[in-house]
Amino acid sequence: MATTENAESGSPENKVDRRPGNSDAMYPLKVLYCGVCSLPTEYCEYMPEPAKCRQWLEKNFPDEFAKMTVGKSAPKQDTGGGDAPPAGEEEEKKKQKRGGRGQIKQKKKTVPQKVTIAKIPRAKKKYVTRVCGLNTFDIDLKEAQRFFAQKFSCGASVTGEDEIIIQGDFTDDITDVIQEKWPEVDDDSIEDLGEVKK
């Protein structure tokens, strides 16, 4: 007990806050933030324009800039060998577009496929009509569902990724209605499957 009390009762000047695992660090840490990207200076190289960050650091804190460039130039030369690209090309590879976010992949355009129409039995003599494939022609399914519900005076709903269910048997009329409303869907790309099980 006596040793613990002596250590705690020591003067505050002798105390240095040291955390386990990192014996040479003194807390609280002093961190230098970049004036361009507002991140700590060791992260500037990962930003879209590291050259501007380096210029700012060289202008405002030349001693810190010298420490960073001396520490970084030695490992690059050792690991580079003879196949290393020039510094400008390496910097260009690291540079990302759109402010540090990854590039957004564009959706692949699907080739127009067939629109399939099927009559599905629901109860004794009742049917529903299923229309699939309108999405491949860039037709908004919600808009098509509202149009079918209004045109046939019945209930209609979007049930799948590319499927509209219309309450009632409209397989005879729906081909003409689709071609009137959306002329890009030609007669060859509409296929009537007839009556199918669910």
Side-chain angles (χ1 to χ4, degrees), residues 96-159:
Q96 289 185 343
K97 295 190 173 35
R98 301 189 64 225
R101 297 184 208 142
Q103 292 183 355
I104 296 174
K105 295 180 181 177
Q106 294 180 351
K107 293 181 180 177
K108 293 182 179 177
K109 202 79 159 154
T110 55
V111 179
Q113 299 173 349
K114 289 199 173 283
V115 174
T116 57
I117 300 168
K119 180 170 79 170
I120 302 171
R122 187 169 61 111
K124 296 179 183 175
K125 292 184 180 179
K126 297 187 178 190
Y127 294 95
V128 293
T129 306
R130 180 181 70 195
V131 181
C132 295
L134 288 175
N135 201 17
T136 58
F137 289 93
D138 292 332
I139 296 172
D140 184 28
L141 294 180
K142 281 290 191 188
E143 180 188 325
Q145 171 252 324
R146 279 189 235 110
F147 173 73
F148 290 140
Q150 185 179 12
K151 181 73 176 175
F152 298 121
S153 301
C154 65
S157 62
V158 178
T159 56

Side-chain angles (χ1 to χ4, degrees), residues 176-195:
D176 299 329
V177 170
I178 289 173
Q179 288 178 342
E180 278 179 30
K181 176 74 175 169
W182 298 285
E184 65 266 17
V185 182
D186 58 342
D187 193 31
D188 297 333
S189 59
I190 297 177
E191 184 181 356
D192 188 1
L193 301 176
E195 187 174 331

Side-chain angles (χ1 to χ4, degrees), residues 47-67:
M47 293 307 292
E49 297 175 347
K52 286 186 179 180
C53 295
R54 267 190 249 118
Q55 288 174 357
W56 179 86
L57 187 63
E58 186 176 14
K59 180 181 175 187
N60 296 316
F61 296 96
D63 54 333
E64 290 293 323
F65 179 74
K67 287 180 191 175

Side-chain angles (χ1 to χ4, degrees), residues 151-170:
K151 181 73 176 175
F152 298 121
S153 301
C154 65
S157 62
V158 178
T159 56
E161 275 187 26
D162 194 13
E163 180 180 76
I164 298 176
I165 299 290
I166 305 166
Q167 294 176 2
D169 179 14
F170 300 105

